[in-house]
């Protein structure tokens, strides 16, 4: 079938939804489908158009069998609410011409956020007479309201109206965690309209490796007990808790904290490290994709961090990655949220009170002093990732969903290259 994916983010953006959608698109191509992606000029996480794409209105590329059609974005490095709205509007108006430059799709997959993109995707579905599958990665505006990003009442009402529109006119809605299902049912969405397909990880690419590797050596971490956070550093995380926890443990020279993220966010954390006296924190830029397996293997503990006001259904996409790496996880997350539920169900980690440096430090210290417990948690997490988060399961679920909405059965003789041989481009995200 011909699949049109409408996604604001895509390759070469290294974190967030972009690597996942790229894997999905390329995986569908290996299974014999034609895939076209409508996306913006790459800009994340720097919030600046990548140099090779600057000054261009439209770019069409081909990568691993996927046709990528990019369009201009109005983007600011430090956006306020109006800037964010104008960014989404610019994508809507510039992407539509690209969407019409190609074969009629059999199905449209739309990723949300951004929320306003549901408007052109719904229009395309009507004009082409094809189903639209809404892939919900975060529930807006609810998540933005909870962290204080959105406070204007009229803007909230407007976004809530768009949200209802998107759910109403989507043929099917795919969500990434059970908490999303519960949230949308409370908003009146028919549960028969929804399907839960968790975000995935390539368990052959991200796997348990020897922690004494070149990445560890190159960053002078030999002999250290490494506590690692890598990925998006946003309002929902509160990495200051990690820095403060590191300060609590600075009297133990064997313990080192590593935080890898976007450079502008690291500048803020560097000031916090100096203020706390946390000289046991190594701040690094986001690492290249090919370094990811060794970087995760270097960790003795992987961190999932959320603020206490994060909405309960939020599901960090880095959880499957850390579990697949076979390292114990410490989740500084609300105990009633989806992240805590998944970590607990996996048996792969410890859960502590969010925004409590003391609680986080105590959990790290427990694993530092109990190697058997750390190994047990890491093994259990790896097994859970194999059972619940394998890419093969996810792509088959999406393929089944697409065949279902177009009213066809999956071809029984459709044999393609084994997905286990594919290479992941997923980096640790939000």
């Amino acid at each position: 079938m011909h699949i049109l994916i409408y996604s604001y983010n895509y390759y070469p953006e290294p974190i967030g939804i972009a690597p996942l959608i790229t894997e999905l698109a390329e995986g569908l191509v290996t299974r014999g489908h034609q895939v076209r992606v409508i996306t913006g000029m790459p800009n994340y996480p720097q919030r600046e158009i990548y140099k090779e794409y600057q000054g261009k209105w439209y770019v069409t590329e081909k990568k691993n069998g996927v046709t990528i059609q990019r369009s201009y974005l109005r983007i600011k490095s430090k956006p306020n609410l109006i800037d964010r709205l104008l960014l989404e509007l610019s994508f809507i108006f510039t992407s539509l011409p690209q969407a019409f430059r190609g074969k009629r799709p059999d199905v449209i997959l739309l990723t949300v956020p951004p929320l306003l993109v549901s408007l052109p995707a719904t229009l395309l579905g009507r004009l082409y007479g094809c189903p639209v599958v809404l892939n919900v990665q975060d529930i807006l505006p609810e998540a933005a309201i909870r962290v204080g990003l959105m406070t204007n009442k009229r803007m909230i009402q407007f976004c809530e109206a768009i949200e209802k529109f998107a759910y109403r006119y989507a043929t099917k809605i795919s969500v990434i965690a059970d908490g999303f299902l519960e949230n949308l049912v409370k908003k009146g969405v028919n549960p028969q309209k929804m399907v839960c397909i968790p975000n995935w990880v390539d368990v052959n690419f991200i796997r348990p490796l020897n922690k004494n590797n070149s990445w560890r050596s190159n960053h002078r971490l030999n002999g250290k007990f490494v506590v690692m956070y890598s990925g998006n550093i946003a309002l929902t995380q509160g990495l200051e808790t990690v820095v403060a926890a590191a300060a609590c443990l600075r009297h133990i020279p064997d313990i080192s904290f590593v935080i890898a993220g976007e450079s502008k966010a690291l500048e803020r954390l560097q000031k916090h490290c100096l203020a706390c006296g946390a000289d046991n924190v190594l701040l690094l830029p986001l690492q290249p994709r090919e370094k990811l397996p060794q970087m995760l293997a270097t960790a003795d503990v992987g961190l999932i961090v959320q603020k206490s006001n994060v909405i309960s259904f939020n599901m960090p996409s880095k959880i499957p990655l850390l579990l697949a790496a076979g390292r114990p996880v410490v989740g500084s997350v609300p105990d009633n949220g989806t992240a805590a539920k998944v970590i607990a169900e996996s048996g792969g980690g410890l859960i502590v009170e969010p925004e409590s440096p003391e609680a986080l430090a105590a959990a790290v210290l427990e694993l530092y002093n109990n190697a058997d417990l750390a190994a047990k948690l890491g093994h259990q997490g790896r097994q859970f990732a194999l059972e619940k988060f394998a890419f093969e399961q996810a792509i088959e679920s999406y393929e089944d969903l697409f065949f279902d909405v177009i009213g066809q059965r999956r071809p029984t003789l459709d044999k393609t290259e084994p997905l286990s041989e594919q290479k992941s481009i997923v980096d640790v995200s939000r």
Side-chain angles (χ1 to χ4, degrees):
M1 76 183 85
H2 184 274
I3 303 165
L4 178 64
I5 298 178
Y6 223 111
S7 178
Y8 170 80
N9 298 102
Y10 196 75
Y11 173 88
E13 295 174 335
I15 61 174
I17 186 59
L20 287 165
I21 294 300
T22 305
E23 276 194 335
L24 178 61
E26 294 178 359
L28 289 167
V29 167
T30 68
R31 297 174 83 91
H33 303 291
Q34 298 178 56
V35 181
R36 184 162 59 103
V37 175
I38 304 299
T39 187
M41 299 296 178
N43 63 86
Y44 193 73
Q46 298 91 339
R47 297 192 184 281
E48 180 180 346
I49 302 297
Y50 290 12
K51 187 175 181 179
E52 58 269 35
Y53 295 92
Q54 291 179 1
K56 299 178 180 179
W57 278 90
Y58 295 106
V59 173
T60 298
E61 302 168 316
K62 194 93 170 181
K63 179 180 180 293
N64 293 338
V66 178
T67 300
I68 309 166
Q69 296 173 290
R70 304 185 186 276
S71 60
Y72 167 82
L73 299 172
R74 179 197 181 276
I75 192 161
K76 298 291 184 180
S77 59
K78 295 181 179 180
N80 56 33
L81 189 59
I82 298 300
D83 290 327
R84 292 175 188 273
L85 177 61
L86 291 175
L87 169 61
E88 291 193 28
L89 288 173
S90 70
F91 182 51
I92 288 173
F93 288 112
T94 62
S95 65
L96 262 177
Q98 288 284 61
F100 287 112
R101 293 175 185 142
K103 182 180 176 182
R104 174 196 175 276
D106 296 304
V107 62
I108 298 172
L109 176 68
L110 164 69
T111 64
V112 173
L115 192 58
L116 287 176
V117 182
S118 60
L119 299 176
T122 302
L123 174 62
L124 284 170
R126 290 297 183 90
L127 292 176
Y128 283 129
C130 68
V132 176
V133 175
L134 184 67
N135 173 235
V136 181
Q137 293 285 328
D138 204 352
I139 297 180
L140 297 179
E142 199 167 340
I145 296 169
R146 180 67 68 91
V147 298
L149 189 61
M150 185 179 293
T151 57
N152 184 283
K153 290 184 178 181
R154 289 186 178 180
M155 183 63 71
I156 291 171
Q157 291 172 348
F158 171 73
C159 289
E160 287 176 342
I162 297 296
E163 181 189 20
K164 291 179 181 179
F165 173 88
Y167 300 151
R168 178 180 178 183
Y169 288 101
T171 310
K172 280 279 189 177
I173 301 171
S174 69
V175 297
I176 61 174
D178 289 341
F180 285 56
L181 293 173
E182 297 166 6
N183 183 279
L184 296 190
V185 167
K186 290 178 181 178
K187 293 178 178 177
V189 180
N190 185 347
Q192 300 300 316
K193 196 175 188 177
M194 295 184 285
V195 59
C196 183
I197 307 176
N199 285 342
W200 56 87
V201 58
D202 185 335
V203 294
N204 299 303
F205 180 63
I206 304 298
R207 63 192 190 279
L209 298 171
N210 192 330
K211 72 177 182 179
N212 295 313
N213 55 53
S214 59
W215 196 93
R216 175 180 280 262
S217 299
N218 291 340
H219 293 89
R220 300 179 181 180
L221 293 168
N222 288 333
K224 297 290 187 179
F225 184 88
V226 177
V227 183
M228 182 177 293
Y229 178 92
S230 178
N232 190 26
I233 301 175
L235 289 173
T236 55
Q237 270 88 43
L239 268 291
E240 292 79 8
T241 299
V242 176
V243 172
C248 293
L249 297 173
R250 64 181 181 272
H251 62 285
I252 305 176
D254 289 347
I255 299 179
S256 290
F257 284 69
V258 176
I259 300 175
E262 192 267 320
S263 57
K264 291 182 180 178
L266 294 180
E267 291 175 7
R268 185 183 73 251
L269 287 180
Q270 179 64 50
K271 295 178 181 177
H272 196 63
C273 287
L274 294 173
C276 291
D279 56 1
N280 54 348
V281 178
L282 174 63
L283 300 176
L284 298 173
L286 289 170
Q287 299 295 290
R289 170 242 174 185
E290 62 270 15
K291 300 292 185 183
L292 185 57
Q294 284 197 338
M295 181 184 76
L296 294 179
T298 294
D300 291 279
V301 175
L303 298 180
I304 303 294
V305 186
Q306 294 179 328
K307 287 186 176 181
S308 56
N309 65 349
V310 167
I311 201 155
S312 62
F313 55 73
N314 185 279
M315 171 61 180
S317 58
K318 65 172 64 62
I319 291 179
L321 286 146
L322 293 178
L323 295 176
R327 294 297 186 262
V329 174
V330 174
S332 174
V333 297
D335 60 7
N336 63 341
T338 296
K341 178 181 177 182
V342 172
I343 294 171
E345 185 182 353
S346 73
L350 305 176
I351 300 166
V352 302
E353 180 185 355
E355 297 188 74
S356 172
E358 296 78 16
L360 180 55
V364 169
L365 193 58
E366 180 179 1
L367 295 173
Y368 171 73
N369 289 322
N370 192 337
D372 290 341
L373 174 61
K376 177 184 177 182
L377 295 176
H379 175 73
Q380 291 176 164
R382 171 66 182 179
Q383 292 305 119
F384 188 82
L386 290 172
E387 295 169 6
K388 301 291 186 179
F389 295 128
F391 180 45
E392 291 90 341
Q393 297 173 14
I395 196 167
E396 286 182 2
S397 295
Y398 274 106
E399 196 176 30
D400 286 341
L401 174 58
F402 295 154
F403 278 120
D404 177 58
V405 296
I406 66 173
Q408 294 184 12
R409 289 186 177 183
R410 179 203 296 268
T412 55
L413 299 177
D414 185 17
K415 300 293 184 183
T416 58
E417 173 188 351
L419 285 174
S420 60
E421 299 177 6
Q422 294 184 38
K423 297 300 182 182
S424 167
I425 66 163
V426 173
D427 203 342
V428 183
S429 81
R430 39 191 185 127

